[in-house]
Amino acid sequence: MIVFVTRPVPQAALQLLRDGGLDVRLRLDESPIPRPDLLEGAAQADALLCMLTDRVDAEVMDAGALRVISNVAVGVDNIDLAAAKARGIPVTNTPGALTDATADMTLALLLAVARRVPEGDAMVRRGEFNGWGPMMMLGADLRGHTLGIVGPGRIGKAVAERARAFGLEILVAARQDHPDVGPRAPLDELLQRSDFVSLHCPLTPQTHHLLDARRLGLMKPSAFLVNTARGPVIDEGALVQALRSGAIAGAALDVYEREPAVHPGLLDLSNVVLAPHTGSATHRTRTAMATMAARDIVSISQGRAPQHRVA
Ligand code: DGY
């Protein structure tokens, strides 16, 4: 079985594929794969080890005779699941592997925007720090405030666990009750009541622009929005407006609507913290994600069911 790997991943995953007797065709370029190269790679492979930056649609699936598509990500919005299902191609992902790293990053971003860490860093580097000031660079407290978690799945739950240690009260917006995470509120009510809102839902047609101008308008002017899920869950243009007008106090983003492009309006705002989709970017987590994805390819090559099949 030939496995096409669209970008370099940790060695342990490549070794696992080779130890499973598979022929690994690794694209050595670190940048996102150009479309023609993806089509060509898929045409010659039985298995695709792909990234969230690869759009895997019917054209890719029909380029050759793929027997499995294994995404090195928990989010699978880059893959046309219906097309895969129609063709009987199993799709797998990496649930659980990035929960802690992403939850840690969520708290890092929340704290960074609440306490204005990048602003302070920039000020010091500009040589403008002239000593401690009683009114200098004041931020927001966490203890006693409310964190609204939109989508209390694995990552949302891990964020709630960490947030409780900072004294935040938790509210959740979800279809079902999650008593282990926090009391449930309808999304509009959660937005009205929360001091921090953190997004942890998958990107689906239902969650596209879930945070639009109307919903952003429900948030408190003192509230902060954090997104480590997927960019298109927020209408980025509406967010820029909300931040500019003071409808909300700030935002911390790890993901963008048209990634890797970032709305130019966000770049000019000092009440925004911007990260380059690094929520899962730790050595251990990326190794765990890639080996998890590789293991499912090996399973399929050996006639066993994959552990993390999504379609
Ligand atoms: C995922 O796995 O979906 C994450 O976005 C990767 O960081």
Side-chain angles (χ1 to χ4, degrees), residues 127-191:
E128 290 172 8
F129 174 47
N130 298 318
W132 183 89
M135 299 304 287
M136 191 184 77
M137 220 164 251
L138 307 186
D141 284 294
L142 272 59
R143 185 165 298 281
H145 279 151
T146 297
L147 168 64
I149 294 188
V150 181
R154 282 186 194 84
I155 297 171
K157 194 172 167 180
V159 168
E161 199 180 287
R162 285 155 175 75
R164 271 192 290 270
F166 283 93
L168 283 160
E169 310 287 336
I170 309 296
L171 268 184
V172 301
R175 284 202 211 97
Q176 294 144 17
D177 283 337
H178 291 265
D180 53 330
V181 187
R184 186 153 68 107
L187 178 57
D188 285 4
E189 184 188 325
L190 174 143
L191 294 170

CSV table of all heavy atoms in Angstrom, one decimal, residues 127-191:
chain,number,residue,atom,x,y,z
A,127,GLY,N,10.8,50.5,24.1
A,127,GLY,CA,11.5,51.4,25.0
A,127,GLY,C,10.6,52.4,25.7
A,127,GLY,O,11.1,53.4,26.2
A,128,GLU,N,9.3,52.1,25.8
A,128,GLU,CA,8.3,53.1,26.4
A,128,GLU,C,7.9,52.7,27.8
A,128,GLU,O,7.0,53.3,28.3
A,128,GLU,CB,7.1,53.1,25.5
A,128,GLU,CG,7.4,53.8,24.1
A,128,GLU,CD,6.2,53.7,23.2
A,128,GLU,OE1,5.1,53.3,23.6
A,128,GLU,OE2,6.4,54.1,22.0
A,129,PHE,N,8.6,51.7,28.4
A,129,PHE,CA,8.3,51.4,29.8
A,129,PHE,C,9.1,52.3,30.7
A,129,PHE,O,10.3,52.1,30.8
A,129,PHE,CB,8.6,49.9,30.0
A,129,PHE,CG,8.4,49.5,31.4
A,129,PHE,CD1,7.3,49.8,32.2
A,129,PHE,CD2,9.4,48.7,32.1
A,129,PHE,CE1,7.1,49.4,33.5
A,129,PHE,CE2,9.3,48.3,33.4
A,129,PHE,CZ,8.1,48.7,34.1
A,130,ASN,N,8.4,53.2,31.3
A,130,ASN,CA,9.1,54.1,32.2
A,130,ASN,C,8.9,53.9,33.7
A,130,ASN,O,9.1,54.7,34.5
A,130,ASN,CB,8.6,55.6,31.9
A,130,ASN,CG,8.9,55.9,30.4
A,130,ASN,OD1,10.0,55.6,29.9
A,130,ASN,ND2,8.0,56.5,29.7
A,131,GLY,N,8.5,52.6,34.0
A,131,GLY,CA,8.3,52.3,35.4
A,131,GLY,C,6.9,52.0,35.7
A,131,GLY,O,6.0,52.4,35.0
A,132,TRP,N,6.7,51.3,36.8
A,132,TRP,CA,5.3,50.9,37.3
A,132,TRP,C,4.4,52.1,37.4
A,132,TRP,O,4.8,53.2,37.8
A,132,TRP,CB,5.5,50.2,38.7
A,132,TRP,CG,4.2,49.7,39.2
A,132,TRP,CD1,3.7,48.4,39.0
A,132,TRP,CD2,3.3,50.4,40.1
A,132,TRP,NE1,2.5,48.3,39.7
A,132,TRP,CE2,2.2,49.5,40.4
A,132,TRP,CE3,3.2,51.7,40.6
A,132,TRP,CZ2,1.1,49.8,41.2
A,132,TRP,CZ3,2.1,52.0,41.4
A,132,TRP,CH2,1.1,51.1,41.7
A,133,GLY,N,3.1,51.9,37.0
A,133,GLY,CA,2.2,53.0,37.1
A,133,GLY,C,0.9,52.6,37.6
A,133,GLY,O,0.4,51.5,37.2
A,134,PRO,N,0.3,53.3,38.5
A,134,PRO,CA,-1.0,52.8,39.1
A,134,PRO,C,-2.1,52.7,38.2
A,134,PRO,O,-3.1,52.0,38.4
A,134,PRO,CB,-1.3,53.9,40.2
A,134,PRO,CG,-0.5,55.1,39.8
A,134,PRO,CD,0.7,54.6,39.1
A,135,MET,N,-2.1,53.4,37.1
A,135,MET,CA,-3.2,53.4,36.1
A,135,MET,C,-2.7,52.8,34.7
A,135,MET,O,-3.4,52.9,33.7
A,135,MET,CB,-3.7,54.8,35.9
A,135,MET,CG,-4.3,55.4,37.1
A,135,MET,SD,-5.6,54.4,37.8
A,135,MET,CE,-6.9,54.6,36.7
A,136,MET,N,-1.5,52.2,34.8
A,136,MET,CA,-0.9,51.8,33.5
A,136,MET,C,-1.4,50.4,33.1
A,136,MET,O,-1.4,49.4,33.8
A,136,MET,CB,0.6,51.7,33.6
A,136,MET,CG,1.3,51.5,32.3
A,136,MET,SD,3.1,51.4,32.6
A,136,MET,CE,3.2,49.7,33.1
A,137,MET,N,-1.9,50.3,31.9
A,137,MET,CA,-2.3,49.0,31.2
A,137,MET,C,-3.1,48.1,32.1
A,137,MET,O,-2.8,46.9,32.3
A,137,MET,CB,-1.0,48.3,30.8
A,137,MET,CG,-1.1,47.7,29.4
A,137,MET,SD,0.4,47.2,28.6
A,137,MET,CE,0.4,48.5,27.4
A,138,LEU,N,-4.2,48.6,32.6
A,138,LEU,CA,-5.1,47.8,33.4
A,138,LEU,C,-5.9,46.9,32.6
A,138,LEU,O,-6.3,47.2,31.5
A,138,LEU,CB,-6.0,48.7,34.2
A,138,LEU,CG,-5.3,49.8,35.0
A,138,LEU,CD1,-6.3,50.6,35.9
A,138,LEU,CD2,-4.2,49.3,35.9
A,139,GLY,N,-6.1,45.7,33.1
A,139,GLY,CA,-6.8,44.7,32.3
A,139,GLY,C,-8.0,44.1,33.1
A,139,GLY,O,-8.5,44.8,34.0
A,140,ALA,N,-8.5,43.0,32.7
A,140,ALA,CA,-9.7,42.4,33.3
A,140,ALA,C,-9.3,41.2,34.2
A,140,ALA,O,-8.4,40.5,33.9
A,140,ALA,CB,-10.6,41.9,32.2
A,141,ASP,N,-10.1,41.1,35.3
A,141,ASP,CA,-9.9,39.9,36.2
A,141,ASP,C,-10.7,38.7,35.7
A,141,ASP,O,-11.6,38.8,35.0
A,141,ASP,CB,-10.5,40.3,37.6
A,141,ASP,CG,-9.5,41.2,38.3
A,141,ASP,OD1,-8.4,40.8,38.6
A,141,ASP,OD2,-9.9,42.4,38.6
A,142,LEU,N,-10.3,37.6,36.2
A,142,LEU,CA,-11.0,36.3,35.9
A,142,LEU,C,-11.9,35.9,37.0
A,142,LEU,O,-13.1,35.6,36.8
A,142,LEU,CB,-9.9,35.2,35.6
A,142,LEU,CG,-9.5,35.1,34.1
A,142,LEU,CD1,-8.8,36.4,33.6
A,142,LEU,CD2,-8.5,33.9,33.9
A,143,ARG,N,-11.4,35.8,38.2
A,143,ARG,CA,-12.1,35.3,39.4
A,143,ARG,C,-13.5,36.0,39.5
A,143,ARG,O,-13.6,37.2,39.5
A,143,ARG,CB,-11.3,35.5,40.7
A,143,ARG,CG,-12.0,34.8,41.9
A,143,ARG,CD,-11.1,34.6,43.1
A,143,ARG,NE,-9.9,33.8,42.7
A,143,ARG,CZ,-10.0,32.4,42.7
A,143,ARG,NH1,-11.1,31.8,43.0
A,143,ARG,NH2,-8.9,31.7,42.4
A,144,GLY,N,-14.5,35.2,39.6
A,144,GLY,CA,-15.9,35.7,39.8
A,144,GLY,C,-16.5,36.1,38.5
A,144,GLY,O,-17.7,36.4,38.5
A,145,HIS,N,-15.8,36.0,37.4
A,145,HIS,CA,-16.4,36.3,36.1
A,145,HIS,C,-16.9,35.0,35.5
A,145,HIS,O,-16.6,33.9,35.9
A,145,HIS,CB,-15.4,37.1,35.2
A,145,HIS,CG,-15.4,38.5,35.5
A,145,HIS,ND1,-14.3,39.3,35.3
A,145,HIS,CD2,-16.4,39.4,36.0
A,145,HIS,CE1,-14.6,40.6,35.7
A,145,HIS,NE2,-15.8,40.6,36.1
A,146,THR,N,-17.7,35.2,34.4
A,146,THR,CA,-18.3,34.0,33.7
A,146,THR,C,-17.6,33.7,32.4
A,146,THR,O,-17.5,34.7,31.6
A,146,THR,CB,-19.8,34.3,33.6
A,146,THR,OG1,-20.4,34.4,34.9
A,146,THR,CG2,-20.5,33.1,32.9
A,147,LEU,N,-17.3,32.5,32.2
A,147,LEU,CA,-16.8,32.0,30.9
A,147,LEU,C,-17.9,31.2,30.2
A,147,LEU,O,-18.4,30.2,30.7
A,147,LEU,CB,-15.6,31.1,31.1
A,147,LEU,CG,-15.1,30.4,29.8
A,147,LEU,CD1,-14.6,31.3,28.7
A,147,LEU,CD2,-13.9,29.4,30.2
A,148,GLY,N,-18.3,31.6,29.1
A,148,GLY,CA,-19.3,30.9,28.3
A,148,GLY,C,-18.6,30.0,27.3
A,148,GLY,O,-17.8,30.5,26.5
A,149,ILE,N,-18.9,28.7,27.4
A,149,ILE,CA,-18.2,27.8,26.5
A,149,ILE,C,-19.2,27.3,25.4
A,149,ILE,O,-20.3,26.7,25.8
A,149,ILE,CB,-17.7,26.6,27.3
A,149,ILE,CG1,-16.5,27.1,28.2
A,149,ILE,CG2,-17.2,25.4,26.4
A,149,ILE,CD1,-15.8,26.1,28.9
A,150,VAL,N,-18.9,27.6,24.2
A,150,VAL,CA,-19.8,27.2,23.1
A,150,VAL,C,-19.3,25.9,22.5
A,150,VAL,O,-18.3,25.9,21.8
A,150,VAL,CB,-19.9,28.3,22.0
A,150,VAL,CG1,-20.8,27.9,20.9
A,150,VAL,CG2,-20.3,29.6,22.7
A,151,GLY,N,-19.9,24.8,22.9
A,151,GLY,CA,-19.5,23.5,22.4
A,151,GLY,C,-18.7,22.8,23.4
A,151,GLY,O,-17.4,22.8,23.3
A,152,PRO,N,-19.3,22.2,24.5
A,152,PRO,CA,-18.5,21.6,25.5
A,152,PRO,C,-18.2,20.1,25.2
A,152,PRO,O,-18.5,19.2,26.0
A,152,PRO,CB,-19.5,21.7,26.7
A,152,PRO,CG,-20.8,21.6,26.1
A,152,PRO,CD,-20.7,22.2,24.7
A,153,GLY,N,-17.4,20.0,24.1
A,153,GLY,CA,-16.9,18.6,23.8
A,153,GLY,C,-15.6,18.4,24.6
A,153,GLY,O,-15.4,19.0,25.7
A,154,ARG,N,-14.7,17.6,24.1
A,154,ARG,CA,-13.5,17.3,24.8
A,154,ARG,C,-12.7,18.5,25.2
A,154,ARG,O,-12.3,18.7,26.3
A,154,ARG,CB,-12.6,16.4,23.9
A,154,ARG,CG,-12.9,15.0,23.9
A,154,ARG,CD,-11.9,14.2,23.1
A,154,ARG,NE,-12.4,12.9,22.7
A,154,ARG,CZ,-13.1,12.7,21.7
A,154,ARG,NH1,-13.4,13.7,20.9
A,154,ARG,NH2,-13.6,11.5,21.4
A,155,ILE,N,-12.5,19.4,24.2
A,155,ILE,CA,-11.7,20.6,24.4
A,155,ILE,C,-12.4,21.6,25.3
A,155,ILE,O,-11.8,22.1,26.2
A,155,ILE,CB,-11.2,21.2,23.0
A,155,ILE,CG1,-10.4,20.2,22.3
A,155,ILE,CG2,-10.5,22.5,23.3
A,155,ILE,CD1,-10.0,20.6,20.9
A,156,GLY,N,-13.7,21.8,25.0
A,156,GLY,CA,-14.5,22.7,25.8
A,156,GLY,C,-14.5,22.3,27.3
A,156,GLY,O,-14.3,23.2,28.2
A,157,LYS,N,-14.6,21.0,27.5
A,157,LYS,CA,-14.5,20.5,28.9
A,157,LYS,C,-13.2,20.7,29.6
A,157,LYS,O,-13.1,21.1,30.7
A,157,LYS,CB,-14.9,19.0,28.8
A,157,LYS,CG,-15.2,18.3,30.1
A,157,LYS,CD,-15.7,16.9,29.8
A,157,LYS,CE,-15.7,16.1,31.1
A,157,LYS,NZ,-16.1,14.8,30.9
A,158,ALA,N,-12.1,20.5,28.8
A,158,ALA,CA,-10.8,20.7,29.3
A,158,ALA,C,-10.5,22.2,29.6
A,158,ALA,O,-9.8,22.5,30.6
A,158,ALA,CB,-9.7,20.2,28.3
A,159,VAL,N,-11.1,23.0,28.8
A,159,VAL,CA,-11.0,24.5,29.1
A,159,VAL,C,-11.7,24.8,30.3
A,159,VAL,O,-11.2,25.6,31.2
A,159,VAL,CB,-11.6,25.3,27.9
A,159,VAL,CG1,-11.7,26.8,28.2
A,159,VAL,CG2,-10.6,25.1,26.7
A,160,ALA,N,-12.9,24.3,30.5
A,160,ALA,CA,-13.7,24.6,31.7
A,160,ALA,C,-13.0,24.1,33.0
A,160,ALA,O,-12.9,24.8,34.0
A,160,ALA,CB,-15.1,23.8,31.7
A,161,GLU,N,-12.3,23.0,32.9
A,161,GLU,CA,-11.5,22.4,34.0
A,161,GLU,C,-10.4,23.4,34.4
A,161,GLU,O,-10.3,23.8,35.6
A,161,GLU,CB,-10.9,21.2,33.5
A,161,GLU,CG,-10.4,20.2,34.5
A,161,GLU,CD,-9.8,19.0,33.7
A,161,GLU,OE1,-10.6,18.2,33.2
A,161,GLU,OE2,-8.6,18.9,33.7
A,162,ARG,N,-9.7,23.9,33.4
A,162,ARG,CA,-8.7,24.9,33.7
A,162,ARG,C,-9.2,26.2,34.2
A,162,ARG,O,-8.7,26.9,35.1
A,162,ARG,CB,-7.8,25.2,32.4
A,162,ARG,CG,-6.9,24.0,32.1
A,162,ARG,CD,-6.6,24.0,30.6
A,162,ARG,NE,-5.6,22.9,30.2
A,162,ARG,CZ,-5.9,21.6,30.2
A,162,ARG,NH1,-7.1,21.2,30.4
A,162,ARG,NH2,-5.0,20.8,29.9
A,163,ALA,N,-10.3,26.7,33.6
A,163,ALA,CA,-10.9,28.0,33.9
A,163,ALA,C,-11.4,28.0,35.4
A,163,ALA,O,-11.3,29.0,36.0
A,163,ALA,CB,-12.1,28.3,33.0
A,164,ARG,N,-11.9,26.9,35.8
A,164,ARG,CA,-12.4,26.8,37.2
A,164,ARG,C,-11.3,27.1,38.2
A,164,ARG,O,-11.5,27.7,39.2
A,164,ARG,CB,-13.1,25.5,37.5
A,164,ARG,CG,-14.5,25.4,37.2
A,164,ARG,CD,-15.2,24.2,37.7
A,164,ARG,NE,-14.8,23.0,37.0
A,164,ARG,CZ,-15.4,22.6,35.9
A,164,ARG,NH1,-16.5,23.2,35.4
A,164,ARG,NH2,-15.0,21.5,35.3
A,165,ALA,N,-10.1,26.7,37.8
A,165,ALA,CA,-8.9,26.9,38.7
A,165,ALA,C,-8.6,28.4,38.8
A,165,ALA,O,-8.0,28.8,39.8
A,165,ALA,CB,-7.7,26.1,38.2
A,166,PHE,N,-9.0,29.1,37.8
A,166,PHE,CA,-8.8,30.6,37.8
A,166,PHE,C,-10.0,31.3,38.5
A,166,PHE,O,-10.0,32.6,38.4
A,166,PHE,CB,-8.6,31.1,36.4
A,166,PHE,CG,-7.2,30.9,35.9
A,166,PHE,CD1,-7.0,29.7,35.1
A,166,PHE,CD2,-6.2,31.7,36.1
A,166,PHE,CE1,-5.7,29.5,34.6
A,166,PHE,CE2,-4.9,31.5,35.6
A,166,PHE,CZ,-4.6,30.3,34.9
A,167,GLY,N,-10.9,30.6,39.0
A,167,GLY,CA,-12.1,31.2,39.6
A,167,GLY,C,-13.2,31.6,38.7
A,167,GLY,O,-14.1,32.4,39.1
A,168,LEU,N,-13.2,31.2,37.5
A,168,LEU,CA,-14.2,31.6,36.5
A,168,LEU,C,-15.5,30.7,36.7
A,168,LEU,O,-15.3,29.5,37.0
A,168,LEU,CB,-13.7,31.4,35.1
A,168,LEU,CG,-12.8,32.5,34.5
A,168,LEU,CD1,-12.0,32.0,33.3
A,168,LEU,CD2,-13.6,33.7,34.2
A,169,GLU,N,-16.6,31.2,36.6
A,169,GLU,CA,-17.9,30.5,36.6
A,169,GLU,C,-18.1,30.0,35.2
A,169,GLU,O,-17.8,30.8,34.3
A,169,GLU,CB,-19.1,31.3,37.1
A,169,GLU,CG,-18.9,32.1,38.3
A,169,GLU,CD,-18.9,31.3,39.6
A,169,GLU,OE1,-19.5,30.2,39.5
A,169,GLU,OE2,-18.3,31.7,40.6
A,170,ILE,N,-18.7,28.8,35.0
A,170,ILE,CA,-18.8,28.3,33.6
A,170,ILE,C,-20.3,28.3,33.2
A,170,ILE,O,-21.2,27.9,34.0
A,170,ILE,CB,-18.3,26.9,33.5
A,170,ILE,CG1,-16.8,26.8,34.1
A,170,ILE,CG2,-18.3,26.4,32.1
A,170,ILE,CD1,-15.8,27.6,33.3
A,171,LEU,N,-20.6,28.6,32.0
A,171,LEU,CA,-21.9,28.4,31.3
A,171,LEU,C,-21.6,27.7,30.1
A,171,LEU,O,-20.6,27.9,29.4
A,171,LEU,CB,-22.5,29.8,31.0
A,171,LEU,CG,-23.4,30.5,31.9
A,171,LEU,CD1,-23.9,31.8,31.1
A,171,LEU,CD2,-24.6,29.7,32.3
A,172,VAL,N,-22.5,26.8,29.6
A,172,VAL,CA,-22.3,26.1,28.4
A,172,VAL,C,-23.5,26.3,27.4
A,172,VAL,O,-24.6,26.4,27.9
A,172,VAL,CB,-22.0,24.6,28.5
A,172,VAL,CG1,-20.8,24.4,29.4
A,172,VAL,CG2,-23.2,23.9,29.1
A,173,ALA,N,-23.2,26.4,26.2
A,173,ALA,CA,-24.2,26.4,25.1
A,173,ALA,C,-24.0,25.1,24.4
A,173,ALA,O,-23.0,24.8,23.8
A,173,ALA,CB,-24.1,27.6,24.2
A,174,ALA,N,-25.1,24.3,24.4
A,174,ALA,CA,-25.0,22.9,23.8
A,174,ALA,C,-26.4,22.4,23.6
A,174,ALA,O,-27.3,22.9,24.2
A,174,ALA,CB,-24.2,22.0,24.7
A,175,ARG,N,-26.4,21.3,22.8
A,175,ARG,CA,-27.8,20.8,22.5
A,175,ARG,C,-28.2,20.0,23.7
A,175,ARG,O,-29.4,19.8,24.0
A,175,ARG,CB,-27.7,19.8,21.3
A,175,ARG,CG,-27.7,20.6,20.0
A,175,ARG,CD,-28.2,19.8,18.8
A,175,ARG,NE,-27.5,20.2,17.6
A,175,ARG,CZ,-26.4,19.6,17.1
A,175,ARG,NH1,-25.9,18.5,17.7
A,175,ARG,NH2,-25.8,20.1,16.1
A,176,GLN,N,-27.3,19.4,24.5
A,176,GLN,CA,-27.6,18.6,25.6
A,176,GLN,C,-27.0,19.2,26.9
A,176,GLN,O,-26.1,20.0,26.8
A,176,GLN,CB,-27.1,17.1,25.5
A,176,GLN,CG,-27.7,16.4,24.4
A,176,GLN,CD,-26.7,15.4,23.7
A,176,GLN,OE1,-25.6,15.2,24.3
A,176,GLN,NE2,-26.9,15.0,22.5
A,177,ASP,N,-27.5,18.7,28.0
A,177,ASP,CA,-27.0,19.1,29.3
A,177,ASP,C,-25.5,18.5,29.5
A,177,ASP,O,-25.3,17.4,29.0
A,177,ASP,CB,-27.8,18.6,30.5
A,177,ASP,CG,-29.1,19.4,30.6
A,177,ASP,OD1,-29.0,20.6,30.2
A,177,ASP,OD2,-30.1,18.9,31.2
A,178,HIS,N,-24.7,19.3,30.1
A,178,HIS,CA,-23.3,18.8,30.4
A,178,HIS,C,-23.1,19.2,31.9
A,178,HIS,O,-22.3,20.1,32.1
A,178,HIS,CB,-22.3,19.4,29.5
A,178,HIS,CG,-22.4,18.9,28.1
A,178,HIS,ND1,-21.6,17.9,27.6
A,178,HIS,CD2,-23.1,19.3,27.1
A,178,HIS,CE1,-21.9,17.7,26.3
A,178,HIS,NE2,-22.9,18.5,26.0
A,179,PRO,N,-23.7,18.5,32.8
A,179,PRO,CA,-23.6,18.9,34.2
A,179,PRO,C,-22.1,18.8,34.7
A,179,PRO,O,-21.8,19.6,35.6
A,179,PRO,CB,-24.5,17.9,35.0
A,179,PRO,CG,-24.8,16.8,34.0
A,179,PRO,CD,-24.6,17.3,32.6
A,180,ASP,N,-21.3,18.0,34.1
A,180,ASP,CA,-19.9,17.9,34.5
A,180,ASP,C,-19.1,19.2,34.0
A,180,ASP,O,-18.0,19.4,34.5
A,180,ASP,CB,-19.3,16.6,34.0
A,180,ASP,CG,-19.4,16.5,32.4
A,180,ASP,OD1,-20.5,17.0,31.9
A,180,ASP,OD2,-18.6,15.9,31.8
A,181,VAL,N,-19.6,19.9,33.1
A,181,VAL,CA,-18.9,21.1,32.6
A,181,VAL,C,-19.5,22.4,33.2
A,181,VAL,O,-18.8,23.2,33.7
A,181,VAL,CB,-19.0,21.2,31.0
A,181,VAL,CG1,-18.1,22.3,30.5
A,181,VAL,CG2,-18.6,19.9,30.4
A,182,GLY,N,-20.8,22.5,33.2
A,182,GLY,CA,-21.5,23.7,33.8
A,182,GLY,C,-22.9,23.8,33.4
A,182,GLY,O,-23.4,23.0,32.5
A,183,PRO,N,-23.7,24.7,34.0
A,183,PRO,CA,-25.1,24.9,33.6
A,183,PRO,C,-25.2,25.3,32.2
A,183,PRO,O,-24.4,26.0,31.6
A,183,PRO,CB,-25.5,26.0,34.6
A,183,PRO,CG,-24.3,26.6,35.2
A,183,PRO,CD,-23.2,25.6,35.0
A,184,ARG,N,-26.3,24.9,31.6
A,184,ARG,CA,-26.5,25.2,30.2
A,184,ARG,C,-27.4,26.4,30.0
A,184,ARG,O,-28.3,26.7,30.8
A,184,ARG,CB,-27.3,24.0,29.5
A,184,ARG,CG,-27.5,24.1,28.0
A,184,ARG,CD,-27.6,22.7,27.5
A,184,ARG,NE,-28.7,21.9,27.9
A,184,ARG,CZ,-29.8,21.7,27.1
A,184,ARG,NH1,-29.8,22.2,25.8
A,184,ARG,NH2,-30.8,21.0,27.5
A,185,ALA,N,-27.1,27.2,29.0
A,185,ALA,CA,-27.9,28.3,28.6
A,185,ALA,C,-28.1,28.4,27.1
A,185,ALA,O,-27.2,28.0,26.4
A,185,ALA,CB,-27.3,29.6,29.1
A,186,PRO,N,-29.2,28.9,26.6
A,186,PRO,CA,-29.3,29.1,25.2
A,186,PRO,C,-28.2,30.0,24.7
A,186,PRO,O,-27.8,30.9,25.5
A,186,PRO,CB,-30.7,29.8,25.0
A,186,PRO,CG,-31.4,29.5,26.2
A,186,PRO,CD,-30.4,29.3,27.3
A,187,LEU,N,-27.7,29.9,23.5
A,187,LEU,CA,-26.5,30.6,23.0
A,187,LEU,C,-26.7,32.1,23.2
A,187,LEU,O,-25.8,32.8,23.8
A,187,LEU,CB,-26.2,30.3,21.6
A,187,LEU,CG,-25.1,31.1,20.9
A,187,LEU,CD1,-23.8,30.9,21.7
A,187,LEU,CD2,-24.9,30.7,19.5
A,188,ASP,N,-27.9,32.7,22.9
A,188,ASP,CA,-28.0,34.1,23.0
A,188,ASP,C,-27.9,34.6,24.4
A,188,ASP,O,-27.3,35.6,24.7
A,188,ASP,CB,-29.4,34.6,22.4
A,188,ASP,CG,-29.4,34.5,20.9
A,188,ASP,OD1,-28.4,34.1,20.3
A,188,ASP,OD2,-30.4,34.9,20.3
A,189,GLU,N,-28.5,33.8,25.3
A,189,GLU,CA,-28.4,34.1,26.8
A,189,GLU,C,-27.0,34.0,27.3
A,189,GLU,O,-26.5,34.9,28.0
A,189,GLU,CB,-29.3,33.2,27.6
A,189,GLU,CG,-29.4,33.6,29.0
A,189,GLU,CD,-30.2,32.5,29.8
A,189,GLU,OE1,-31.2,32.0,29.3
A,189,GLU,OE2,-29.8,32.3,31.0
A,190,LEU,N,-26.3,33.0,26.8
A,190,LEU,CA,-24.9,32.8,27.2
A,190,LEU,C,-24.0,34.0,26.8
A,190,LEU,O,-23.2,34.5,27.6
A,190,LEU,CB,-24.3,31.5,26.6
A,190,LEU,CG,-22.8,31.2,26.8
A,190,LEU,CD1,-22.6,29.7,27.0
A,190,LEU,CD2,-22.0,31.7,25.6
A,191,LEU,N,-24.3,34.5,25.6
A,191,LEU,CA,-23.5,35.7,25.1
A,191,LEU,C,-23.8,36.9,25.9
A,191,LEU,O,-22.9,37.7,26.2
A,191,LEU,CB,-23.9,35.9,23.6
A,191,LEU,CG,-23.4,34.8,22.7
A,191,LEU,CD1,-24.0,35.0,21.3
A,191,LEU,CD2,-21.9,34.7,22.6
